Amino acid sequence: MQLPKTMISEEDIRKRVDELAAQISIDYADKDEIVLVGVLKGAFIFLADLSRRLSIPRHIEFIAVSSYEHGSTRSGAVRLVMDVRRSIEGKHVLIVEDIVDTGHTLHYLIDMLKSRNPASVKTCTLLHKEHKTEVDVEIDYLGFSIGDEWVVGYGLDYDEKDRTLPYIGMIDPSD
Ligand code: 5GP
């Protein structure tokens, strides 16, 4: 079995996650607590690593969404599949995503979570396909900008495959 070609190595991911955690720890140093909202399933490994490197009090929540599909095309509409367990009213929320592609998912999540009166909502994504943006969203903490390739590993899958690869690899879904 051939492994996906490396795009971002385990070592480069580790270094970047360290840097992001350090920056977030500085930015939230004066807050009582930060609520990290991980977007399932793709963000589970990134969230696990990031959260363990923070030096500030943190609370972990998860949320799951799915995109409406028409045949093989995604319409951009997003649906909530699983909600957070605890109220975020008055809390400092950081949405933790694996990848921002068109921006529809993150746009939906920001709007939805902001409507619940949190103290703040910021965003953190490991990867961003900046050339594919359809809706502008503010990314406060970004790991890496990448091209249009389909990426797998470190939480990201292709049809549930390659999700637990330790690095970010790229594949050609048409293969
Ligand atoms: P958006 O709403 O920004 O277009 O899409 C975000 C979602 O699309 C991500 O959370 C992820 O589930 C999926 N996605 C987009 N590009 C990739 C990719 O290259 N690899 C994987 N595994 N998922 C992707």
Side-chain angles (χ1 to χ4, degrees):
M1 194 186 75
Q2 221 193 331
L3 285 172
K5 196 165 163 238
T6 304
M7 176 188 270
I8 307 168
S9 71
E10 214 177 330
E11 175 65 9
D12 287 346
I13 297 172
R14 197 185 54 71
K15 279 192 200 142
R16 191 73 191 112
V17 174
D18 274 348
E19 288 167 4
L20 290 172
Q23 188 60 52
I24 293 166
S25 299
I26 292 169
D27 295 351
Y28 288 85
D30 61 341
K31 308 289 188 278
D32 290 345
E33 184 188 65
I34 180 175
V35 180
L36 300 168
V37 177
V39 185
L40 292 174
K41 299 179 189 172
F44 82 111
I45 294 179
F46 178 38
L47 178 69
D49 284 348
L50 184 76
S51 60
R52 285 179 295 174
R53 292 176 201 165
L54 294 174
S55 56
I56 49 172
R58 74 222 72 140
H59 176 92
I60 310 291
E61 289 288 336
F62 285 103
I63 207 160
V65 290
S66 81
S67 307
Y68 285 103
E69 290 184 22
H70 298 294
S72 58
T73 54
R74 287 173 42 213
S75 64
V78 179
R79 183 169 61 96
L80 187 66
V81 175
M82 191 192 94
D83 207 344
V84 294
R85 298 251 184 123
R86 195 173 86 161
S87 166
I88 56 161
E89 192 171 346
K91 304 287 181 189
H92 293 280
V93 172
L94 181 63
I95 303 171
V96 180
E97 257 284 31
D98 50 353
I99 185 164
V100 176
D101 182 3
T102 62
H104 287 290
T105 305
L106 196 53
H107 186 258
Y108 168 86
L109 287 173
I110 294 168
D111 273 5
M112 200 250 307
L113 294 175
K114 274 191 174 164
S115 73
R116 299 176 181 183
N117 300 318
S120 67
V121 176
K122 283 192 177 190
T123 59
C124 175
T125 183
L126 181 68
L127 305 170
H128 182 206
K129 292 183 182 174
E130 54 187 5
H131 301 299
K132 297 204 46 205
T133 304
E134 286 176 15
V135 40
D136 275 325
V137 281
E138 181 118 28
I139 298 174
D140 298 289
Y141 303 97
L142 170 63
F144 304 91
S145 280
I146 61 168
D148 292 352
E149 298 86 355
W150 191 266
V151 289
V152 292
Y154 201 66
L156 291 135
D157 73 314
Y158 176 63
D159 225 2
E160 288 302 324
K161 284 195 283 289
D162 295 324
R163 208 186 269 290
T164 54
L165 273 184
Y167 62 92
I168 303 283
M170 50 189 164
I171 58 162
D172 183 351
S174 62
D175 280 351

